[in-house]
Amino acid sequence: MQFEANYGYIALLLIVAIIFAASLIFLPFILSRLGIIPRKPDPVKTSTYECGMETVGKSWVQFNFRYYFYALLFVLFDIETVFLYPWAVHFKQLKLFGLVEMLIFIFVLAIGFVYAWRKGALEWK
Amino acid sequence: MEMMSVYSSLELDRAEGLAIDELIARSQQPIPDPDRWLEEERRPNVLITSVDAVLNWGRRSSVWPVNFGLACCAFEMIATAVSRFDIARFGMELFRASPRQADLMIVSGTLTWKMAPQLKRIYEQMPEPKWVLAMGVCAISGGTFAGSYSVVPGVNRIVPVDVYVPGCPPRPEALLYGIGMLHQKIAKDSIAVKR
């Protein structure tokens, strides 16, 4: 009996939460339809906000393709760091097995790194 | 080729100077304060007044200011915002970096003609209903710099002002009082009033 009563409270909370969220989404639509919320779009208001400045030029600017290599290499080392941290924290518990596993992991990443190096991805031409 | 001319600094300066000259020529008269609607004839109706009560309670309880500090008055505004004076008591602690989410513009300090187009643009990009609070004598009338060639003699030349808070700079208590006045003004708002 006790459990059922508790679940009842959760169901009540769920219903209230759904009604609250739905009303927050639909109330502005309804009030806007009724004309209670003012809606006055104009070219200045709908234009891009750029700290009050008028925007100049297009937003489609070309970047140097070399940044792409750097982003890829960054992801490589980022993932390495992400895996190294928990391994370092539990280094003593994992013992030799963890060390060997991590050496294999770094070896796999090193192959990719050497490949990128040999291909000249680290040089800014 | 046209793009190049826009990015040249000399052309940019000239274009900006011409735009500001044109703005100065257009803004010789102050914009009347938007308070005509306060005296407007109203026929109260249970439906309208109850909707008004809920709507105005919501609007005045969470007036989000746009993050716009101009001069030394901005420091008093910051002091008002942080823990000692604690603007969060009025649901206003969220200084928005975007005008899209803001209801109130606190013009805190001296407005120069060079900054005026940006202020006008940010004001125009705020969604209705929006309010403006002129903080300090510089924002009210130009203050010490009233006769200067570069200072706007009162921000009501650029945007309509709802509340004026005098002082040089006004203390945080004065700003809070001005915000209280604004709350009273918002409480008088009605969906029946056409603005």
Side-chain angles (χ1 to χ4, degrees), chain A residues 26-37, chain B residues 51 55:
Chain A
F26 290 109
L27 206 62
F29 280 114
I30 296 161
L31 291 179
S32 183
R33 284 275 164 191
L34 293 173
I36 290 168
I37 290 176
Chain B
V51 171
L55 215 60

Side-chain angles (χ1 to χ4, degrees), chain B residues 37-39 42 52 56 60 181-191 193 195:
Chain B
W37 58 272
L38 286 169
E39 286 116 45
R42 289 181 205 175
D52 277 346
N56 292 338
R60 73 171 182 271
M181 291 284 107
L182 182 70
H183 285 177
Q184 287 182 22
K185 189 169 184 177
I186 296 169
K188 287 176 186 166
D189 203 349
S190 172
I191 53 168
V193 176
R195 271 193 286 160

Side-chain angles (χ1 to χ4, degrees), chain A residues 36 38 40 44-45 47-49 51-54 56-57, chain B residues 3 6 55 97 99-100 118 121 124-126 128 191 195:
Chain A
I36 290 168
K40 297 172 189 165
V44 177
K45 194 186 276 180
S47 65
T48 313
Y49 169 64
C51 303
M53 308 293 285
E54 278 179 46
V56 175
Chain B
M3 293 296 294
V6 170
L55 215 60
R100 317 276 190 214
Q118 280 79 322
R121 198 176 166 82
E124 281 168 356
Q125 288 188 333
M126 282 161 65
E128 273 90 5
I191 53 168
R195 271 193 286 160

Side-chain angles (χ1 to χ4, degrees), chain B residues 8-26:
Chain B
S8 136
S9 60
L10 189 68
E11 287 292 316
L12 203 63
D13 280 356
R14 276 197 192 131
E16 195 184 22
L18 284 174
I20 289 168
D21 278 347
E22 201 246 333
L23 181 68
I24 293 172
R26 266 192 291 131

Side-chain angles (χ1 to χ4, degrees), chain A residues 6-118:
Chain A
N6 288 348
Y7 279 120
Y9 283 126
I10 290 171
L12 195 68
L13 184 72
L14 190 71
I15 290 163
V16 169
I18 287 167
I19 290 170
F20 182 70
S23 69
L24 281 186
I25 292 167
F26 290 109
L27 206 62
F29 280 114
I30 296 161
L31 291 179
S32 183
R33 284 275 164 191
L34 293 173
I36 290 168
I37 290 176
R39 184 177 158 77
K40 297 172 189 165
D42 64 66
V44 177
K45 194 186 276 180
T46 51
S47 65
T48 313
Y49 169 64
E50 197 65 68
C51 303
M53 308 293 285
E54 278 179 46
T55 48
V56 175
K58 290 177 182 173
S59 53
W60 292 97
V61 185
Q62 287 191 332
F63 291 100
N64 195 324
F65 188 70
R66 301 245 144 231
Y67 287 114
Y68 176 68
F69 291 126
Y70 277 82
L72 273 183
L73 285 173
F74 171 75
V75 169
L76 184 81
F77 288 113
D78 208 34
I79 286 173
E80 192 177 341
T81 317
V82 163
F83 280 105
L84 276 174
Y85 260 103
W87 169 71
V89 169
H90 287 278
F91 180 68
K92 278 186 180 164
Q93 289 98 308
L94 292 172
K95 300 206 171 84
L96 191 67
F97 175 72
L99 181 70
V100 172
E101 282 278 295
M102 195 42 76
L103 282 175
I104 291 165
F105 174 65
I106 289 171
F107 177 70
V108 170
L109 284 183
I111 290 169
F113 180 56
V114 168
Y115 176 76
W117 200 339
R118 287 287 295 276

Side-chain angles (χ1 to χ4, degrees), chain B residues 99-186:
Chain B
R100 317 276 190 214
Q101 304 158 350
D103 310 298
L104 168 67
M105 177 185 252
I106 301 175
V107 185
S108 52
T110 322
L111 180 67
T112 54
W113 282 112
K114 186 160 178 170
M115 193 67 189
Q118 280 79 322
L119 182 123
K120 193 177 172 65
R121 198 176 166 82
I122 289 175
Y123 174 76
E124 281 168 356
Q125 288 188 333
M126 282 161 65
E128 273 90 5
K130 51 191 169 187
W131 297 281
V132 178
L133 190 148
M135 182 183 177
V137 285
C138 292
I140 293 170
S141 66
T144 323
F145 316 106
S148 168
Y149 71 97
S150 61
V151 173
V152 181
V155 288
N156 56 7
R157 305 276 178 118
I158 308 294
V159 292
V161 179
D162 289 290
V163 179
Y164 297 88
V165 178
C168 187
R171 282 190 55 82
E173 292 95 326
L175 182 59
L176 289 176
Y177 182 75
I179 286 163
M181 291 284 107
L182 182 70
H183 285 177
Q184 287 182 22
K185 189 169 184 177
I186 296 169

